[in-house]
Amino acid sequence: MRIGVLGLQGDFREHLAVLRSLGVDARDVRTRAQLDEIEGLIIPGGESTTMAYLLEKMGMLSVLRERGEQGFPIYGTCAGMILLARELNDAYPEHRLALMDIAVKRNAYGRQLDSFEADIHIKDIGKFHAIFIRAPKIVRVGPGVEILAEHDGAPVLVRQKNLLASSFHPELTGDSRVHEYFLKMVTKG
Amino acid sequence: MERLTGTFKVKSGLAEMLKGGVIMDVVNAEQAKIAEKAGAVAVMALERVPADIRAAGGVARMADPKKIKEIMDAVTIPVMAKCRIGHFVEAQILEALGVDYIDESEVLTPADPEHHIDKWQFKVPFVCGARDLPEACRRIAEGAAMIRTKGEAGTGDVIEAVRHMRLMNKQIRIVRQASDEELVALGKEWGAPVEVLRLIKELGRLPVVNFAAGGIATPADAALMMQLGCDGIFVGSGIFKSENPEKRARAIVLATTYYNDPKVLAEISEDLGEPMPSISAARLPERELLQVRGN
């Protein structure tokens, strides 16, 4: 299986390492042409404004949006989730994929001093140690969106058909179960 | 459910999120917005950029909290601020303001001749400068969650950043190949804590993110540092002291992502206007060097 990790900015190397530990042919994706070589894409943590600017600038945003609409599997962590959300509380980033029927509030858990670790419970996975860094908060989910995990009453891992999004960073914990879940989405469709 | 805040994991984790990005020095809200729009991953809130600090002489201190708050209000990306080496009260003030990262920086005038801040006492993460691996190890032992090369700030001359990055890379290679008993000897010789050296040997790299800083003025400089293996770029005076800050900022952001693609680099390096007024680091007398402060 060939999975891409958007390598424009952020902790893409951590995602690549988790995927490779699972025996996946994982590649760093930075150009439009590279999007043709993969079966699914992870958008890593990082700064959503930076990634959005680069995606738009390199002509990747509309292509990726079209793919996402046609069933191409995408998993967004943190900044990646902001790019996937249809509704945002903020003017930035201006350009997004806006594929998932969720409303997200940026930095809603607070600034860096409020970044935290906590144990959560994920449906079909179980207990999971989650790391939230200046995390975005999901404040509304549409009818077609399944909530897979919550923390303090807010959804933190959600799925809508071919799309998966988390407020937290499973790539930082060395626990590959969320990645395995995404890989199953890629193979089973 | 219980929340753990201020852990080393969340401190170093934010630095992981900044990787492959550019952190820009800004002195007001307007510059912060330009930086954010150009794709900066964070801004460093300052009263003066290093080139002006260098020109002004005297004692350089933490910025006015009013200035820092103004910048924090202007952008949604993380905001960093500098405190003097060893000045733990300036750090306490910055933490109380809620900045996202503190740079315990040699660009400001050091406040303690022997000690750096005990960074384990803080919930806010710290980045510190280093000229070589032993210095980086000492800062990590004190609790730094991110390292940057010192380079020579405010010059626009990249040679010192290159020197520091190459030296760190060379010393990491030495550590990787050292036996366990040689690590102890290395620790003694270098003045580096052995526990940190062990961690570096185990990981094959620094245990925290390492950015390049101090003299980066062009997209080519940024790409050079990235090709030398750093994780991201700090640009101090290089942007807002240049002729066309907005265009240069965008170009440096692109260069930091596409550092391995000379065609893209050629395209974005075109017609950027004059870089910052620069001075050769080799011509600076020893007493004017910022990199020797705090060791």
Side-chain angles (χ1 to χ4, degrees):
Chain A
M1 197 187 323
R2 202 176 277 169
I3 302 293
V5 179
L6 193 66
L8 298 175
Q9 190 272 318
D11 72 335
F12 51 92
R13 249 174 291 160
E14 281 62 31
H15 278 289
L16 289 168
V18 178
L19 292 171
R20 283 171 189 152
S21 77
L22 295 169
V24 172
D25 177 0
R27 0 189 119 180
D28 171 353
V29 170
R30 295 179 193 215
T31 63
R32 200 159 64 177
Q34 288 168 332
L35 286 174
D36 294 334
E37 301 164 1
I38 52 170
E39 295 159 66
L41 181 74
I42 294 179
I43 306 177
E47 274 310 311
S48 55
T49 49
T50 307
M51 281 187 222
Y53 162 64
L54 292 168
L55 273 173
E56 169 71 7
K57 168 95 187 160
M58 304 309 282
M60 296 166 80
L61 198 71
S62 53
V63 180
L64 198 51
R65 189 184 296 130
E66 224 167 83
R67 300 264 164 95
E69 280 163 359
Q70 291 160 1
F72 179 76
I74 305 174
Y75 172 28
T77 57
C78 196
M81 180 172 91
I82 292 170
L83 295 181
L84 283 172
R86 205 168 284 164
E87 199 182 318
L88 202 63
N89 70 316
D90 213 335
Y92 283 112
E94 293 169 74
H95 308 287
R96 299 193 311 282
L97 294 167
L99 286 164
M100 278 182 105
D101 189 12
I102 54 174
V104 166
K105 203 171 167 199
R106 285 181 71 205
N107 304 330
Y109 290 94
R111 301 192 73 97
Q112 172 60 16
L113 283 169
D114 306 300
S115 291
F116 64 99
E117 303 183 33
D119 286 330
I120 59 170
H121 189 275
I122 302 177
K123 192 187 164 199
D124 299 333
I125 288 180
K127 191 176 157 190
F128 196 91
H129 189 66
I131 296 178
F132 296 81
I133 294 170
R134 284 174 48 98
K137 198 174 211 165
I138 302 174
V139 291
R140 181 189 67 74
V141 296
V145 179
E146 187 187 5
I147 297 170
L148 298 172
E150 287 184 316
H151 177 73
D152 266 356
V156 293
L157 179 65
V158 294
R159 177 180 177 177
Q160 177 186 326
K161 290 183 191 149
N162 54 313
L163 308 168
L164 185 68
S166 64
S167 298
F168 60 94
H169 294 279
E171 74 279 13
L172 290 183
T173 42
D175 186 336
S176 59
R177 289 176 296 165
V178 177
H179 289 80
E180 287 169 52
Y181 182 93
F182 177 64
L183 296 178
K184 272 187 214 145
M185 283 172 56
V186 178
T187 43
K188 287 185 186 162
Chain B
M1 275 180 266
E2 200 195 356
R3 282 186 193 197
L4 291 170
T5 57
T7 61
F8 195 73
K9 194 89 197 172
V10 299
K11 288 175 171 180
S12 60
L14 177 57
E16 302 287 349
M17 300 310 143
L18 302 175
K19 281 190 303 194
V22 183
I23 299 167
M24 303 181 190
D25 278 7
V26 298
V27 299
N28 56 41
E30 187 199 347
Q31 289 187 354
K33 282 181 185 158
I34 292 172
E36 182 175 54
K37 208 163 174 228
V41 291
V43 290
M44 179 75 71
L46 288 164
E47 221 155 89
R48 277 181 280 200
V49 294
D52 290 336
I53 290 174
R54 190 178 276 289
V59 175
R61 309 177 177 89
M62 173 189 83
D64 185 334
K66 191 180 167 190
K67 173 125 300 185
I68 295 167
K69 285 196 316 209
E70 173 196 320
I71 291 165
M72 285 168 68
D73 288 341
V75 293
T76 61
I77 55 178
V79 175
M80 301 183 165
K82 287 185 197 286
C83 73
R84 285 180 264 176
I85 289 172
H87 206 313
F88 53 86
V89 174
E90 283 187 349
Q92 289 165 3
I93 292 169
L94 293 175
E95 183 174 61
L97 289 173
V99 303
D100 297 295
Y101 241 94
I102 294 177
D103 183 3
E104 187 183 16
S105 176
E106 72 284 359
V107 169
L108 305 183
T109 312
D112 189 314
E114 282 169 32
H115 310 96
H116 279 68
I117 295 170
D118 177 9
K119 294 165 271 288
W120 297 111
Q121 303 305 318
F122 291 79
K123 278 195 163 186
V124 62
F126 281 75
V127 54
C128 288
R131 288 178 298 168
D132 54 21
L133 193 65
E135 199 173 341
C137 290
R138 291 192 290 275
R139 298 296 85 79
I140 292 166
E142 293 155 2
M146 179 178 183
I147 294 292
R148 57 171 174 76
T149 59
K150 283 180 165 173
E152 189 56 38
T155 59
D157 187 352
V158 79
I159 187 171
E160 295 304 305
V162 169
R163 187 196 311 277
H164 301 160
M165 191 58 73
R166 280 202 183 273
L167 184 53
M168 264 192 235
N169 288 342
K170 184 176 167 185
Q171 289 167 325
I172 288 172
R173 285 195 296 274
I174 293 171
V175 170
R176 286 170 76 161
Q177 282 160 14
S179 67
D180 287 346
E181 52 271 53
E182 282 167 343
L183 273 191
V184 178
L186 270 180
K188 189 175 154 197
E189 184 191 329
W190 286 354
V194 180
E195 314 79 70
V196 185
L197 291 179
R198 278 208 191 97
L199 202 54
I200 292 168
K201 188 186 164 185
E202 195 187 308
L203 297 169
R205 56 171 173 80
L206 277 180
V208 297
V209 165
N210 185 18
F211 271 44
I216 294 150
T218 68
D221 289 348
L224 172 67
M225 298 312 298
M226 291 298 288
Q227 286 198 31
L228 286 174
C230 73
D231 293 313
I233 302 290
F234 277 93
V235 189
S237 323
I239 290 169
F240 289 100
K241 284 279 154 187
S242 74
E243 191 184 337
N244 190 341
E246 209 171 325
K247 200 167 176 190
R248 186 165 293 265
R250 286 184 185 277
I252 292 177
V253 167
L254 281 164
T256 303
T257 295
Y258 296 98
Y259 63 89
N260 260 334
D261 190 335
K263 271 190 192 153
V264 174
L265 295 174
E267 203 180 297
I268 60 182
S269 298
E270 204 175 297
D271 197 25
L272 295 178
E274 281 296 309
M276 66 179 280
S278 306
I279 32 176
S280 162
R283 295 201 158 190
L284 286 173
E286 174 84 16
R287 65 176 189 284
E288 286 180 25
L289 291 176
L290 300 176
Q291 58 176 282
V292 296
R293 294 168 160 185
N295 192 12

